C-alpha cells in the first residue's frame, strides 16, 4: 500500500514537475547560455563572452533601472508587510471575518492590466479621485504619474493595495497557528495587550513574517506590469524598472544577449538578497518548539 501511495504521489506531481522543467528550468538555462551570445532573435548566434555583462555594467540606463527597482522595494516592502500584519491581527477575531477576507483578497485575483487602468484614473493629477479627496482638506495633490518625484511612490501605493489581501491571508494563517494557551498564560500573569503582542504574537509570527518578506522582495524586484500599463517606464525613465529594461532590450531593441545578461544579473541580485535574508533570519525568526 505504501508503494502504491508513493506511485500515485509521483503521478500527481508529474504534471507540475514537467511544467517546472519546460517553463522555468529550460528557459533559465537557455537565458544563461544566451547571455554570452550576440543574437537579435532571428539570425545566427555569436559567442562574445562577458561582453554583454560588461555592456550592462557600463550602461547608465541599466543603473537607472536598478535604482528605480531598489527604490520601489524600499517603498513597498516595509509599508506593505506592516499593513498586512496589522490588518490580519484586526480581522483575526472579529465577526464576519470570512466576508472581510473575501473583500480584501478580491484585488489579488484581478488582472494587473485592469488594476493599472483603474489606478491611472484614481491617480490622475487633474481629475483623479485621490486628488479630489485631498482637495477637500485644502491639499493640492501632485501629478502622481507624470512627476518624476512621485511616480514610483504611486506605483508602490498601487502595489500595496493590490497585494494587501494576499499577505493578509498568509498572516491570518500564521496567527491561527498560534496556540491560545500562550495568551491564556499571559493573561494569568497580568500581561497587557501590547505585551502579549510584543512577546507572543510577534515572535511566534516571525516564521510567517520571514516567508512574506522573502516572497515580497522577490516579487518587488520583478515589478513590471504596473510600470508598463500606467507609465510605460516614464516620465524620463523615472519608473523604468529592471524587468522593464529586460523587456525593452529584448523585444523592442532585439538585443537578446544583452537582455539575457540583465536577467542573469537580476537573478543573482535576488539570490543574494534571499541568502542574506536566510542568514539574518537566524537572529529574529523563532520557531515554536
Amino acid at each position: 500500500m505504501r508503494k502504491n501511495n508513493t506511485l500515485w504521489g509521483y503521478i500527481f506531481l508529474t504534471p507540475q514537475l514537467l511544467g517546472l522543467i519546460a517553463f522555468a528550468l529550460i528557459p533559465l538555462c537557455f537565458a544563461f547560455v544566451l547571455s554570452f551570445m550576440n543574437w537579435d532573435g532571428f539570425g545566427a548566434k555569436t559567442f562574445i563572452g562577458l561582453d554583454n555583462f560588461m555592456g550592462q555594467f557600463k550602461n547608465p540606463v541599466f543603473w537607472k533601472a536598478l535604482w528605480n527597482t531598489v527604490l520601489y522595494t524600499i517603498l513597498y516592502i516595509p509599508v506593505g508587510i506592516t499593513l498586512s500584519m496589522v490588518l490580519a491581527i484586526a480581522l483575526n477575531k472579529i465577526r464576519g471575518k470570512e466576508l472581510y477576507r473575501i473583500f480584501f483578497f478580491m484585488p489579488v485575483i484581478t488582472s494587473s492590466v485592469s488594476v493599472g487602468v483603474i489606478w491611472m484614473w484614481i491617480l490622475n493629477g487633474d481629475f483623479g479621485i485621490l486628488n479630489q479627496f485631498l482637495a477637500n482638506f485644502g491639499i493640492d495633490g501632485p501629478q502622481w504619474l507624470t512627476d518624476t518625484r512621485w511616480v514610483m511612490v504611486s506605483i508602490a501605493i498601487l502595489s500595496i493595495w493590490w497585494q494587501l489581501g494576499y499577505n493578509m491571508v498568509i498572516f491570518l494563517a500564521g496567527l491561527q497557528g498560534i496556540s491560545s494557551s500562550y495568551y491564556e498564560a499571559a493573561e494569568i500573569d497580568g500581561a497587557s495587550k501590547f505585551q502579549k503582542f510584543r512577546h507572543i504574537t510577534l515572535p511566534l509570527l516571525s516564521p510567517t513574517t520571514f516567508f512574506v518578506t522573502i516572497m515580497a522582495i522577490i516579487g518587488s524586484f520583478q515589478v513590471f506590469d504596473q510600470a508598463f500599463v500606467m507609465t510605460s517606464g516614464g516620465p524620463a525613465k523615472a519608473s523604468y524598472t529592471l524587468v522593464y529594461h529586460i523587456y525593452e532590450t529584448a523585444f523592442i531593441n532585439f538585443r537578446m544577449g544583452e537582455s539575457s545578461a540583465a536577467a542573469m544579473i537580476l537573478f543573482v541580485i535576488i539570490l543574494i538578497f534571499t541568502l542574506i535574508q536566510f542568514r539574518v533570519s537566524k537572529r529574529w525568526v523563532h520557531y515554536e518548539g
Side-chain angles (χ1 to χ4, degrees):
M1 184 178 295
R2 182 177 300 175
K3 291 181 179 179
N4 190 42
N5 290 338
T6 302
L7 177 62
W8 276 107
Y10 283 119
I11 290 174
F12 284 115
L13 282 174
T14 298
Q16 181 69 21
L17 184 60
L18 292 176
L20 178 65
I21 294 173
F23 300 108
L25 295 181
I26 292 178
L28 179 62
C29 294
F30 181 71
F32 176 75
V33 173
L34 197 59
S35 65
F36 299 99
M37 303 287 181
N38 181 23
W39 187 45
D40 62 0
F42 300 99
K45 304 178 185 68
T46 305
F47 180 79
I48 57 174
L50 297 175
D51 287 358
N52 286 328
F53 291 93
M54 299 306 297
Q56 290 301 306
F57 290 133
K58 295 177 181 178
N59 187 356
V61 175
F62 168 81
W63 291 107
K64 176 69 173 177
L66 178 59
W67 164 245
N68 288 338
T69 305
V70 171
L71 177 60
Y72 168 82
T73 302
I74 293 172
L75 293 170
Y76 167 71
I77 297 295
V79 179
I81 292 177
T82 302
L83 286 179
S84 299
M85 181 186 295
V86 171
L87 187 61
I89 293 172
L91 296 181
N92 191 36
K93 298 295 183 181
I94 66 172
R95 292 182 179 179
K97 56 186 177 182
E98 292 80 7
L99 187 61
Y100 284 109
R101 292 176 192 173
I102 294 173
F103 286 148
F104 282 107
F105 196 79
M106 284 177 65
V108 179
I109 60 175
T110 306
S111 72
S112 57
V113 175
S114 300
V115 170
V117 171
I118 291 171
W119 275 86
M120 284 176 65
W121 287 95
I122 294 174
L123 297 173
N124 186 283
D126 298 321
F127 49 82
I129 297 174
L130 182 55
N131 278 2
Q132 292 293 328
F133 174 77
L134 294 175
N136 294 328
F137 301 94
I139 300 174
D140 187 14
Q143 295 291 328
W144 296 96
L145 299 178
T146 57
D147 190 331
T148 56
R149 298 169 298 176
W150 288 98
V151 64
M152 289 310 297
V153 176
S154 304
I155 293 175
I157 292 173
L158 178 154
S159 300
I160 291 169
W161 172 85
W162 190 21
Q163 295 299 317
L164 187 66
Y166 176 80
N167 293 331
M168 178 203 71
V169 168
I170 296 177
F171 276 120
L172 276 171
L175 287 169
Q176 292 172 5
I178 300 176
S179 174
S180 60
S181 60
Y182 293 108
Y183 297 103
E184 293 170 358
E187 289 178 0
I188 293 173
D189 292 336
S192 64
K193 290 184 178 180
F194 177 77
Q195 288 173 326
K196 288 187 286 186
F197 173 75
R198 170 67 180 83
H199 298 288
I200 298 176
T201 305
L202 275 183
L204 296 182
L205 201 60
S206 58
T208 305
T209 306
F210 172 64
F211 172 78
V212 170
T213 303
I214 287 290
M215 299 305 296
I217 289 176
I218 293 173
S220 64
F221 270 94
Q222 299 180 72
V223 60
F224 170 75
D225 299 19
Q226 301 92 310
F228 181 79
V229 174
M230 298 173 66
T231 63
S232 299
K237 292 191 179 299
S239 61
Y240 189 79
T241 63
L242 204 49
V243 175
Y244 201 111
H245 174 66
I246 293 170
Y247 157 77
E248 186 175 82
T249 304
F251 300 109
I252 304 298
N253 301 324
F254 295 101
R255 299 198 296 266
M256 301 297 177
E258 294 182 28
S259 176
S260 297
M264 289 298 102
I265 295 172
L266 175 60
F267 172 78
V268 172
I269 291 172
I270 293 175
L271 179 62
I272 290 173
F273 270 94
T274 304
L275 292 176
I276 291 174
Q277 281 291 320
F278 273 98
R279 183 86 175 183
V280 175
S281 69
K282 297 178 181 179
R283 302 178 182 177
W284 64 274
V285 177
H286 308 280
Y287 294 95
E288 185 177 359

